[in-house]
Amino acid sequence: LLAGSAARHRADVRALYATAREVGRIRHVEASWVRSSGVPAAGGWFTHRRLSGGGALVDLGWHLFDVVTPLLGEFAFEQVVGVTHGDFLAAGDAAAAWRGDDAPAGGPAGDVEDTARGFLVTRDAVSVAVRVGWASHEPLDVTTVRVEGTAGTAHLRCTFGFSPNREGGSALTLTRRGTPETVPVPEEPIGAEYDRQLDAIAAALADPASRGRAAAEAARIIGVIERLYDSARPVPADLSSLREPSHGH
C-alpha cells in the first residue's frame, strides 16, 4: 500500500508539485539533502554495508528519489553516473546528536559512504542531479528541490526529517523570465507528512489501481540507487592500468 517514505506528502512538497505545473516541460531536476553533522548510529548497523546495504545514498537518497518520482512520471534512466565518499565517517566526529540512539557507540566507523552525488539522464533527455550527505561543512541541515522547465523554474528550500538543526520554515520560489515570485507555503508541525500518508491508506484500499504501485515504485528507486553504487565503485589504487597505451601498442 505504501513505502516507508512520506516526504512527498509534506505540504511544501505538494506546493512544489502544484508550482511545477507552471514551469512548462521539465528539462532538469536538482534534489539535495545535506546535513551539517548527522551520521546515524556511528559504529552500528546503519554504517555497515553488510547490514544496511549502503550509506547516505540509500538512506537520504531514497526520500529524494521518492519526491522526484511524481515530477518525472514513469521515468527510466538511460545514463547514470555517481561518486561516493566517506571522509566524515572516517574522521569519526560527525555523529548525529539529536537522537539518543545516535550517540557514538565506539568500534569501527563503518564501510559505507557519508556523501554521494549522482547525475542521471532519462530516455526523454531530462537530467536529474542528486546530492546527499550525512555530514558536510554547512551550518544547518538543508533540503532543496529545483525544477527547471521551458517556461520557468520552481525552487523549494526546506529541511526534511526530524533534526532540530534546521532552517526556519520552507521557502518556495517560482522564477520566470528573470522575475522571482514567492509562493506561499502552509506551515505544519515536523512529521505531519507521516500522519498525512497514513490518512491516505483508506483511499489506497478503495482504489484497485493502487495495488502494487508502491512496491513497483520502491523497486524502481532501489534499482536506480544500485546503479549509482555500481557507477561509484572505487578506482584501483594502481592508476597505471588506466593510462592510455602509446601509439606503438
Side-chain angles (χ1 to χ4, degrees):
L1 291 174
L2 54 84
S5 176
R8 68 169 70 174
H9 297 276
R10 290 172 56 102
D12 51 8
V13 172
R14 288 185 168 188
L16 172 68
Y17 291 155
T19 304
R21 291 196 288 266
E22 302 183 43
V23 305
R25 184 172 181 178
I26 295 176
R27 297 297 193 188
H28 179 69
V29 178
E30 294 180 13
S32 172
W33 184 359
V34 177
R35 294 174 179 166
S36 62
S37 182
V39 177
W45 71 268
F46 239 114
T47 56
H48 291 274
R49 188 174 304 278
R50 179 179 62 85
L51 302 174
S52 63
L57 178 58
V58 72
D59 179 26
L60 306 184
W62 164 277
H63 298 277
L64 294 182
F65 280 116
D66 188 66
V67 166
V68 169
T69 294
L71 293 168
L72 301 184
E74 294 294 327
F75 65 90
F77 291 113
E78 284 195 341
Q79 301 177 51
V80 175
V81 62
V83 62
T84 60
H85 302 284
D87 300 325
F88 295 97
L89 186 61
D93 58 357
W98 35 271
R99 288 183 57 181
D101 58 352
D102 278 344
D111 59 354
V112 298
E113 80 288 348
D114 57 53
T115 303
R117 296 173 177 85
F119 193 83
L120 313 93
V121 182
T122 72
R123 294 173 181 171
D124 299 324
V126 178
S127 56
V128 177
V130 174
R131 178 191 176 195
V132 294
W134 275 341
S136 67
H137 299 292
E138 301 299 324
L140 297 173
D141 298 358
V142 177
T143 307
T144 61
V145 183
R146 182 182 180 91
V147 184
E148 298 182 14
T150 55
T153 299
H155 183 204
L156 173 64
R157 185 180 178 95
C158 58
T159 304
F160 284 3
F162 296 90
S163 168
N165 190 34
R166 59 199 306 118
E167 289 198 334
S170 302
L172 177 59
T173 305
L174 173 63
T175 303
R176 291 176 288 193
R177 297 187 179 276
T179 302
E181 172 189 349
T182 300
V183 179
V185 177
E187 293 186 8
E188 62 180 2
I190 296 175
E193 62 270 25
Y194 289 93
D195 293 332
R196 193 173 292 117
Q197 183 186 36
L198 293 176
D199 290 340
I201 288 182
L205 284 169
D207 180 11
S210 70
R211 189 178 183 90
R213 181 185 302 161
E217 290 185 352
R220 184 186 301 119
I221 291 173
I222 289 298
V224 171
I225 289 174
E226 290 293 345
R227 289 178 65 187
L228 284 168
Y229 277 135
D230 288 343
S231 171
R233 287 175 178 169
V235 175
D238 181 8
L239 298 181
S240 61
S241 61
L242 302 180
R243 294 173 184 165
E244 294 185 2
S246 66
H247 293 294
H249 292 81

